């Protein structure tokens, strides 16, 4: 038990030292690659890098940065303007000054690519018809346009684009995942894409230049606190204008189609584009990796469970003695339970930052209700005659609790703890979104990469853990509770 | 000497008068039956004696002193308590049930000897010690209930219709055990029952209650031969005719 507590303390008290930098990342391919480039860049400068990857989405990353839980992460100008500043049509320098004024944050010079919506077509077609810009489409009204449903609906999508450029083609809708195939099989000629999609080099496609600047700009750059060390800002400038759209497409494709790791892709980029040899990549064996993440997962689950038991069981007893308020307290904990896990994690970031501690807090909150409710139910459902007899014999309330009520409530109480443990094993996979690690890291990375193998690498041990806990607790019940009182 | 006294004790619950101005005192080392119909207040009267029910007015005196509700658990340890349906703890073995009072008192008792002694007294085989109550018949369970109530050798024994749920044969056997106990080591027994035959068999004195009021309090013989009110006569007729 003491070891566990020490481990919790160590985990939650690791803060940044000098020469230490914490790099965040959103959970999608390009985010991982860019963050890995930043991390390796700092490592080549002698920094110790804490990689806080897999952070949920824009909100989680941004809150983490604001609350000084990370130092830097890559972000897009369009996202900053629409999702963080909630203003559209800001140019780059307006975005930067608004960030400085409102949040004391700042963005660097763009990396050099714009990951925005784009129209693409097969390369032979673009050569055949002389297509390089969207304007060129006007002269070729017979081209077949097939677009994702989302692009058909968006404000910055087809309707306004067509009006802006006076395009003559009608458009049909199709599932985005099928669009590249449809292009390759010449079922359609033009579709929408993100300009840095790895599919663009893979299918040998041409991006038609947005010559009227219709699409909002999504320039990638580093977002960091204004007060961060000048040396850090200086190191980040090495990436200014260094990543082109085709670089980014190639890196995305390398991860998606050549199954290279983010680290390998980033190393390759730093060597070939910046002539920076980063420190060697450590490749841990899969088994060691799974084991260490399982250990983190167990630490998260059990610390939260343990604290929840310490709080919920005495609280349950206290409420048992005060039946008038027990209903309202149960109602309140039920309310906590209904907060979606991702939302709860996001709510906790401003208070506790990111990492292990807020994850344990969130898991604690989820474990509270089942334990509290079962403690109370267990104590309340004891035959009133037995309570009368216990009183009549001369037991005070603590003796009655110890000798009669707790032993009789134990099967129900254990069932509550078991439920909480199994819920926690599942919920703990989401802790990866706020950088707490655990088996969820495999799952969220696997989701971003669309890699079933990686998802299973997290999901199978998590499922195994849940089953082990289930069996472990039923064994505990068999050992602890007389047979005739065991729950069926 | 009077071990237990009630002086003008009343109790009401939700505006309903359950006990009305009851004054009785019980003779030491004698068995007194508290008898009445359902709802007569007989069980409530018993519970005022161990503080499970607090009088709305009036005073309870135990061992010559006014009932000190601050010390209620210490007082209860000096009174054995038996209920209908035994109230044995299902998670404890028979031996643990019998010796439960030993675990909440600082008095030093050799539990093993005391358990053996009590079990022998009510004819329970030693092999029952490690069993659980669900493995025993109703009569056997009630014998265990007697052992549990007597573990600390209390001077007072409160019995709240302990035999109410037993079949007639078993009931007679347990009544026999209780009589035997009184011969071996008499104590103040207060027995709640609705059965005049049981009262006749076990009790030296009878208190008859009706609608929360004492109808008659006298020796068993006197109550049976000279019923004071119609309510007493009805009870006798119902049980003994």
């Amino acid at each position: 038990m003491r070891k566990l507590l020490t481990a919790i303390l160590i985990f939650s008290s690791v803060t940044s030292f000098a020469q230490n930098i914490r790099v965040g990342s959103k959970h999608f391919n390009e985010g991982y690659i860019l963050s890995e480039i930043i991390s390796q860049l700092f490592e080549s400068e002698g920094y110790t890098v804490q990689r806080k990857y897999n952070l949920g989405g824009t909100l989680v990353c941004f809150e983490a940065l604001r609350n000084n839980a990370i130092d830097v992460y890559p972000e897009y100008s369009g996202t900053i303007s629409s999702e963080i500043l909630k203003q559209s049509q800001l140019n780059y320098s307006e975005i930067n000054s608004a960030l400085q004024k409102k949040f004391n944050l700042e963005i660097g010079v763009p990396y050099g690519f714009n990951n925005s919506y784009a129209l693409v077509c097969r390369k032979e077609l673009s050569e055949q018809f002389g297509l390089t810009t969207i304007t060129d489409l006007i002269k070729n009204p017979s081209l077949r346009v097939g677009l994702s449903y989302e692009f058909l609906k968006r404000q910055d999508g087809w309707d306004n684009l067509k009006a802006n450029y006076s395009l003559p083609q009608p458009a049909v809708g199709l599932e985005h995942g099928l669009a590249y195939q449809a292009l390759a099989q010449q079922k359609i000629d033009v579709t929408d894409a993100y300009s840095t999609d790895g599919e663009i080099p893979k299918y040998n496609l041409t991006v038609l230049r947005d010559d009227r600047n219709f699409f909002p700009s999504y320039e990638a750059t580093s977002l960091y606190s204004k007060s961060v060390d000048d040396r850090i800002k200086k190191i980040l400038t090495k990436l200014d204008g260094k990543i082109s759209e085709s670089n980014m497409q190639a890196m995305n494709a390398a991860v998606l189609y050549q199954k290279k790791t983010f680290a390998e892709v980033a190393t390759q980029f730093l060597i070939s584009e910046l002539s920076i040899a980063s420190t060697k990549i450590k490749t841990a064996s899969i088994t060691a990796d799974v084991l260490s993440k399982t250990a983190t997962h167990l630490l998260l689950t059990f610390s939260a469970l343990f604290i929840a038991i310490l709080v919920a069981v005495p609280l349950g007893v206290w409420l048992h003695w005060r039946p008038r308020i027990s209903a309202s307290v149960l109602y309140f904990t039920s309310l906590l339970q209904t907060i979606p896990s991702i939302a709860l994690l996001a709510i906790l970031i401003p208070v506790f930052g990111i990492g292990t501690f807020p994850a344990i807090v969130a898991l604690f909150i989820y474990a509270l209700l089942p334990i509290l409710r079962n403690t109370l139910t267990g104590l309340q459902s004891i035959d009133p005659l037995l309570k009368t007899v216990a009183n009549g014999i001369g037991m005070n309330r603590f003796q009655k609790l110890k000798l009669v009520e707790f032993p009789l409530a134990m099967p129900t109480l254990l069932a509550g703890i078991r439920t909480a443990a199994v819920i926690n094993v599942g919920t703990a996979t989401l802790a990866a979104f706020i950088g707490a690690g655990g088996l969820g890291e495999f799952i969220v990375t696997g989701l971003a990469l669309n890699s079933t193998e990686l998802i299973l690498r997290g999901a199978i041990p998590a499922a195994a853990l849940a089953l082990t806990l289930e069996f472990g607790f039923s064994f505990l019940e068999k050992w602890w509770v007389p047979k005739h009182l065991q729950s069926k | 000497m009077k071990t237990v006294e009630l002086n003008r004790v009343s109790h009401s619950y939700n505006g309903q008068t359950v006990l009305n101005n009851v004054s009785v005192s019980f003779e030491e080392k004698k068995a007194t039956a508290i008898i009445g119909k359902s709802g007569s207040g007989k069980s409530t009267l018993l519970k005022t004696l161990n503080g499970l029910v607090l009088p709305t007015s009036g005073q309870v005196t135990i061992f010559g002193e006014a009932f000190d509700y601050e010390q209620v658990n210490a007082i209860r340890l000096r009174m054995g308590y038996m209920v209908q349906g035994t109230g044995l703890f299902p998670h404890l073995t028979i031996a643990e049930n019998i010796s439960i009072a030993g675990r909440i008192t600082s008095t030093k008792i050799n539990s093993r000897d005391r358990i053996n002694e009590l079990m022998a007294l009510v004819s329970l085989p030693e092999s029952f010690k490690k069993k659980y109550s669900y493995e025993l018949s109703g009569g056997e369970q009630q014998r265990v209930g007697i052992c549990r109530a007597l573990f600390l050798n209390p001077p007072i024994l409160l019995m709240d219709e302990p035999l109410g749920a037993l079949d007639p044969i078993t009931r007679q056997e347990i009544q026999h055990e209780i009589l035997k106990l009184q011969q071996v080591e008499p104590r103040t027994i207060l027995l709640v029952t609705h059965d005049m035959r049981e009262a006749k068999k076990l009790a030296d004195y009878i208190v008859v209650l009706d609608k929360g009021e004492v109808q008659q309090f006298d020796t068993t013989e006197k109550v049976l031969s000279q019923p004071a009110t119609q309510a007493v006569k009805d009870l006798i007729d119902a049980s003994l005719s």
Side-chain angles (χ1 to χ4, degrees):
Chain A
M1 201 51 69
R2 237 174 68 192
K3 270 188 193 159
L4 186 72
L5 287 174
T6 321
I8 296 168
L9 279 178
I10 291 170
F11 257 76
S12 51
S13 67
V14 173
T15 46
S16 61
F17 309 108
Q19 294 295 87
N20 209 339
I21 185 160
R22 296 157 303 170
V23 179
S25 162
K26 293 191 198 178
H27 74 115
F28 73 110
N29 267 343
E30 198 164 293
Y32 293 131
I33 296 170
L34 292 172
S35 297
E36 192 53 37
I37 290 174
I38 295 172
S39 296
Q40 292 189 16
L41 180 63
F42 277 99
E43 278 168 345
S44 75
E45 298 281 339
Y47 279 76
T48 305
V49 177
Q50 285 181 46
R51 290 166 168 79
K52 307 264 189 180
Y53 294 178
N54 291 316
L55 300 179
T58 305
L59 178 73
V60 178
C61 281
F62 174 67
E63 287 295 337
L65 187 64
R66 264 181 79 188
N67 292 287
N68 194 29
I70 57 174
D71 297 308
V72 60
Y73 82 96
E75 187 53 281
Y76 301 90
S77 57
T79 309
I80 297 174
S81 118
S82 64
E83 290 189 43
I84 295 174
L85 299 167
K86 315 272 184 213
Q87 284 169 288
S88 53
Q89 310 298 332
L90 292 181
N91 67 34
Y92 203 81
S93 62
E94 285 167 342
I95 289 172
N96 209 353
S97 60
L99 271 177
Q100 300 198 16
K101 222 188 296 164
K102 270 176 121 170
F103 302 112
N104 199 34
L105 298 176
E106 111 183 39
I107 43 176
V109 172
Y111 297 149
F113 70 89
N114 177 10
N115 184 2
S116 100
Y117 267 115
L119 293 186
V120 294
C121 64
R122 286 186 309 280
K123 203 168 174 193
E124 317 93 76
L125 200 74
S126 76
E127 281 160 2
Q128 190 186 335
F129 291 90
L131 304 173
T132 54
T133 63
I134 296 178
T135 305
D136 293 338
L137 289 175
I138 303 170
K139 298 171 289 180
N140 298 287
S142 63
L143 292 173
R144 293 158 301 168
V145 178
L147 303 169
S148 69
Y149 294 108
E150 191 194 349
F151 188 73
L152 282 172
K153 288 264 163 63
R154 283 177 70 104
Q155 186 67 30
D156 55 354
W158 177 249
D159 286 348
N160 286 329
L161 179 77
K162 186 176 156 85
N164 192 297
Y165 278 93
S166 312
L167 297 175
Q169 293 87 352
V172 293
L174 79 168
E175 185 58 44
H176 186 64
L178 302 173
Y180 290 111
Q181 301 256 5
L183 267 187
Q185 292 165 7
Q186 310 195 11
K187 297 274 176 12
I188 55 171
D189 301 314
V190 177
T191 192
D192 60 298
Y194 292 108
S195 52
T196 57
D197 276 355
E199 286 84 352
I200 293 172
K202 153 112 173 158
Y203 289 98
N204 206 11
L205 305 175
T206 300
V207 176
L208 302 177
R209 196 158 51 78
D210 178 19
D211 48 336
R212 290 193 189 168
N213 289 322
F214 169 79
F215 291 118
S217 159
Y218 282 80
E219 297 277 356
T221 186
S222 311
L223 178 57
Y224 47 83
S225 163
K226 206 179 155 192
S227 55
V228 85
D229 192 42
D230 279 343
R231 240 195 100 198
I232 289 176
K233 290 186 195 173
K234 189 150 171 270
I235 293 168
L236 285 170
T237 62
K238 293 192 176 188
L239 295 173
D240 294 356
K242 284 294 190 306
I243 311 174
S244 68
E245 246 159 65
S246 56
N247 278 152
M248 199 63 241
Q249 289 166 2
M251 289 193 279
N252 282 330
V255 169
L256 274 175
Y257 299 109
Q258 296 162 33
K259 298 294 171 198
K260 293 208 170 141
T261 66
F262 302 120
E264 284 163 359
V265 170
T267 308
Q268 187 56 42
F269 170 83
L270 287 171
I271 293 169
S272 59
E273 302 296 321
L274 300 178
S275 306
I276 291 171
S278 72
T279 44
K280 62 202 171 298
I281 305 162
K282 301 164 283 182
T283 41
S285 79
I286 292 180
T287 320
D289 203 16
V290 170
L291 282 179
S292 102
K293 287 192 167 61
T294 306
T296 311
H297 207 86
L298 283 174
L299 176 80
L300 291 173
T301 306
F302 276 95
S303 333
L305 189 67
F306 178 68
I307 303 168
I309 293 170
L310 283 189
V311 172
V313 174
L315 184 60
V317 170
W318 190 77
L319 290 176
H320 169 57
W321 289 339
R322 284 161 192 78
R324 275 188 200 169
I325 54 167
S326 66
S328 32
V329 175
L330 268 188
Y331 180 77
F332 176 72
T333 43
S334 307
L335 212 63
L336 285 179
Q337 192 85 357
T338 61
I339 305 174
S341 352
I342 282 289
L344 181 61
L345 291 171
I347 293 167
L348 291 175
I349 292 173
V351 191
F352 299 112
I354 61 167
T356 308
F357 190 70
I360 291 178
V361 172
L363 294 175
F364 159 76
I365 289 173
Y366 285 120
L368 209 52
L369 177 70
I371 304 179
L372 180 64
R373 191 175 43 203
N374 280 38
T375 306
L376 203 53
T377 313
L379 291 173
Q380 285 174 343
S381 57
I382 295 169
D383 183 354
L385 179 69
L386 295 178
K387 297 185 188 181
T388 307
V389 169
N391 287 332
I393 286 174
M395 294 185 194
N396 63 35
R397 53 156 67 166
F398 296 102
Q399 291 166 333
K400 187 165 68 167
L401 201 61
K402 180 182 151 203
L403 296 172
V404 178
E405 292 174 318
F406 255 135
L408 288 173
M410 196 51 82
T412 317
L413 180 56
L414 277 178
I417 294 174
R418 180 166 69 182
T419 307
V422 174
I423 288 177
N424 268 6
V425 167
T427 313
T429 54
L430 295 175
F433 280 124
I434 56 165
L439 293 166
E441 267 190 26
F442 291 128
I443 298 176
V444 291
T445 315
L447 285 174
L449 280 176
N450 202 6
S451 157
T452 314
E453 188 227 312
L454 212 51
I455 293 172
L456 289 179
R457 202 181 290 174
I460 290 174
L465 272 188
L467 283 176
T468 313
L469 283 183
E470 186 78 31
F471 286 126
F473 274 102
S474 43
F475 176 78
L476 193 67
E477 189 182 331
K478 283 209 170 81
W479 170 73
W480 204 344
V481 179
K483 207 170 178 184
H484 61 284
L485 296 177
Q486 283 167 16
S487 51
K488 298 290 174 306
Chain B
M1 170 169 167
K2 314 284 188 192
T3 331
V4 181
E5 279 186 74
L6 274 74
N7 189 11
R8 304 172 70 85
V9 168
S10 296
H11 177 77
S12 10
Y13 182 73
N14 283 346
Q16 198 91 13
T17 304
V18 188
L19 288 179
N20 189 11
N21 221 4
V22 173
S23 295
V24 280
S25 51
F26 302 108
E27 205 67 40
E28 194 181 5
K29 296 187 178 174
K30 297 288 181 196
T32 305
I34 302 164
I35 193 165
K37 295 185 293 192
S38 297
S40 60
K42 55 189 190 297
S43 187
T44 305
L45 191 154
L46 193 80
K47 284 180 177 152
T48 63
L49 302 180
N50 65 357
L52 287 175
V53 166
L54 303 186
T56 320
S57 66
Q59 197 179 44
V60 179
T61 307
I62 304 279
F63 307 119
E65 282 176 30
F67 201 112
D68 181 358
Y69 291 96
E70 300 282 308
Q71 299 296 321
V72 64
N73 289 320
I75 294 172
R76 285 171 182 167
L77 284 171
R78 299 175 65 192
M79 299 179 173
Y81 185 48
M82 289 171 67
V83 292
Q84 182 171 354
T86 75
L88 294 183
F89 299 119
H91 61 293
L92 299 179
T93 62
I94 296 310
E96 288 166 340
N97 260 292
I98 292 175
S99 58
I100 186 84
R103 289 170 71 176
I104 57 170
T105 172
S106 49
T107 321
K108 283 223 167 117
I109 304 152
N110 185 333
S111 286
R112 231 173 90 191
D113 290 354
R114 183 70 180 148
I115 292 167
N116 289 342
E117 181 188 353
L118 288 167
M119 285 177 79
L121 201 64
V122 296
S123 326
L124 281 173
E126 262 192 48
S127 60
F128 278 17
K129 276 205 250 177
K130 289 205 169 135
K131 293 193 180 212
Y132 287 96
S133 58
Y134 77 98
E135 298 171 281
L136 271 57
S137 72
E140 289 162 346
Q141 289 187 28
Q142 201 48 266
R143 287 168 208 255
V144 175
I146 295 174
C147 294
R148 180 171 69 182
L150 295 182
F151 187 76
L152 294 178
N153 199 14
I156 300 174
L157 191 55
L158 305 181
M159 301 171 128
D160 196 352
E161 294 202 63
L163 315 183
L166 299 177
D167 64 84
I169 310 251
T170 315
R171 177 187 275 240
Q172 280 195 16
E173 284 172 16
I174 306 285
Q175 286 169 347
H176 178 72
E177 299 291 351
I178 295 171
L179 281 175
K180 200 171 79 185
L181 288 172
Q182 274 303 77
Q183 281 159 14
V184 177
E185 193 176 356
R187 59 192 89 226
T188 311
I189 290 181
L190 299 170
L191 168 75
V192 169
T193 179
H194 58 265
D195 181 2
M196 197 55 96
R197 270 177 304 180
E198 188 162 282
K200 185 181 170 193
K201 191 162 183 182
L202 296 180
D204 306 298
Y205 295 89
I206 292 181
V207 182
V208 184
L209 279 183
D210 192 56
K211 298 190 185 94
E213 292 183 7
V214 175
Q215 302 296 308
Q216 190 171 8
F217 178 31
D218 216 322
T219 60
T220 304
E221 219 168 88
K222 206 78 171 277
V223 170
L224 289 174
S225 59
Q226 299 168 30
T229 66
Q230 190 57 41
V232 180
K233 197 165 180 305
D234 289 347
L235 263 176
I236 295 169
D237 289 348
S239 301
L240 297 178
S241 62

